[in-house]
Amino acid sequence: MAAGGSVEIALSVNGVPRRVVVEPRVTLLDALRDRMGLTGTKKGCDRGECGACTVLADGQRIKSCLTLAVMRQGTEVTTVEGLASGDKLHPVQEAFIRHDAFQCGGCTPGQIMSAVACIHEGHTRSEDEVREWMSGNLCRCAAYQGIVAAVLDASEEMRG
Ligand code: FES
Ligand code: FES
């Protein structure tokens, strides 16, 4: 334990090993945004209701406002900044652009991360299924039609 009750944690973020010193009460969301400068992950409600803070932890989607950074020692975290390969956007990112699946963009990084996981989970066989399995990600702008279309489209592309 470091000075002042803070703890050093080591984890991988977007394939890069990171070490940060955080107080035990700091959420993964705040550690990403405030300690690592990765502000692509958004803070909406900060209490598990909106999904804006969704990231992947060892490939599983989680709401990063609901998990403490200290609980994620050794975890491989992927944020929206880690999806593209150089200049090449991830198929889900491209599909969101193609389908105009956002308005203010506040929910978009969380929607995209959740969509990546949803596709890998195999929960994209129909529009209804996508709506159900993406229901933890809210959009105040109600861009749901575009979001669902983008997820279905990207799913088809990724599954070949
Ligand atoms: Fe985490 Fe809303 S900010 S669920
Ligand atoms: Fe504005 Fe979803 S695009 S909240």
Side-chain angles (χ1 to χ4, degrees):
M1 190 168 288
S6 295
V7 181
E8 183 180 69
I9 57 165
L11 67 176
S12 158
V13 182
N14 300 328
V16 179
R18 304 287 299 249
R19 283 180 181 277
V20 280
V21 176
V22 291
E23 291 170 40
R25 63 184 176 85
V26 171
T27 62
L28 178 62
L29 173 61
D30 286 340
L32 289 167
R33 289 181 55 86
D34 303 338
R35 315 293 162 99
M36 301 182 218
L38 293 168
T39 54
T41 305
K42 301 303 178 201
K43 185 185 279 191
C45 63
D46 207 19
R47 55 181 192 193
E49 289 172 3
C50 73
C53 64
T54 305
V55 299
L56 305 184
D58 293 331
Q60 309 287 313
R61 49 181 161 168
I62 61 163
K63 292 176 175 174
S64 61
C65 70
L66 286 186
T67 186
L68 296 173
V70 292
M71 293 163 63
R72 293 295 166 179
Q73 277 284 11
T75 299
E76 289 200 19
V77 176
T78 307
T79 70
V80 73
E81 289 95 340
L83 283 188
S85 309
D87 289 342
K88 176 90 182 108
L89 292 178
H90 186 282
V92 173
Q93 292 173 307
E94 284 180 339
F96 267 65
I97 294 170
R98 261 197 317 277
H99 289 275
D100 210 7
F102 45 81
Q103 218 174 95
C104 76
C107 72
T108 310
Q111 299 280 3
I112 288 174
M113 297 313 292
S114 204
V116 169
C118 191
I119 292 167
H120 283 135
E121 291 160 13
H123 295 135
T124 53
R125 283 168 299 190
S126 67
E127 191 176 320
D128 283 351
E129 197 177 36
V130 170
R131 284 186 187 275
E132 168 80 20
W133 287 88
M134 291 289 293
S135 62
N137 290 80
L138 305 182
C139 176
R140 279 173 305 174
C141 303
Y144 293 112
Q145 208 169 327
I147 292 168
V148 172
V151 176
L152 287 169
D153 194 6
S155 174
E156 206 164 299
E157 190 183 334
M158 288 164 68
R159 290 176 182 284

